[in-house]
Amino acid sequence: MQSLLPTSIEIPKVLTIAGSDSGGAAGVQADLEVITALGGYGMSVITAITAQNTLGVSRIQDVAVEVVEAQIDAVLTDIGADIVKIGMLASPEIVKTVAHSLRKHGIKRIVLDPVLSMCNFWRKFWW
């Protein structure tokens, strides 16, 4: 089947690395909505799962670093990314894993949007 898009149009591939927001207003869910609205192809790596709604966050569960690394490798070795947007990285181990993985894959265009107020790790160093 032939594509309906003209071949001269390049759709930017954007990878978001962030937490999952069960309320849908932030995190990977919000990032994918914005990427799509701006005409990009959105991909995601989940770093944490949150239990949250409009009233706040009641629970955060980190994803194992091996799983975070495997998600990044799966996306970048096959599809690639023109740009990576980083949101919630809830532990020092996840920060190191993401940094190592992006270096390994030669990613140069990165948007850093840290979620400082949600993570005790960041509070310790920020305040």
Side-chain angles (χ1 to χ4, degrees):
M1 174 181 260
Q2 186 175 351
S3 171
L4 298 177
L5 292 174
T7 56
S8 63
I9 295 177
E10 281 288 321
I11 298 173
K13 297 175 289 188
V14 182
L15 173 61
T16 177
I17 302 175
S20 174
D21 169 9
S22 57
V28 166
Q29 288 83 348
D31 290 346
L32 291 173
E33 287 181 19
V34 170
I35 292 164
T36 301
L38 294 174
Y41 177 75
M43 302 160 291
S44 62
V45 168
I46 305 294
T47 61
I49 300 167
T50 68
Q52 70 185 85
N53 55 30
T54 61
L55 303 175
V57 178
S58 60
R59 179 93 191 255
I60 298 171
Q61 177 65 53
D62 295 357
V63 171
V65 293
E66 298 83 6
V67 176
V68 172
E69 183 176 28
Q71 291 177 84
I72 294 170
D73 288 344
V75 170
L76 295 181
T77 57
D78 177 32
I79 303 165
D82 298 310
I83 191 162
V84 173
K85 189 261 185 194
I86 299 173
M88 179 185 181
L89 304 179
S91 74
E93 294 79 20
I94 292 175
V95 171
K96 291 175 190 172
T97 298
V98 169
H100 169 78
S101 295
L102 296 182
R103 271 195 300 272
K104 177 173 77 172
H105 290 283
I107 299 297
K108 303 280 189 235
R109 297 173 71 194
I110 299 170
V111 174
L112 184 60
D113 180 21
V115 182
L116 297 175
S117 64
M118 289 179 62
C119 305
N120 289 329
F121 165 74
W122 292 111
R123 273 194 213 123
K124 181 168 57 172
F125 294 101
W126 189 258
W127 285 283

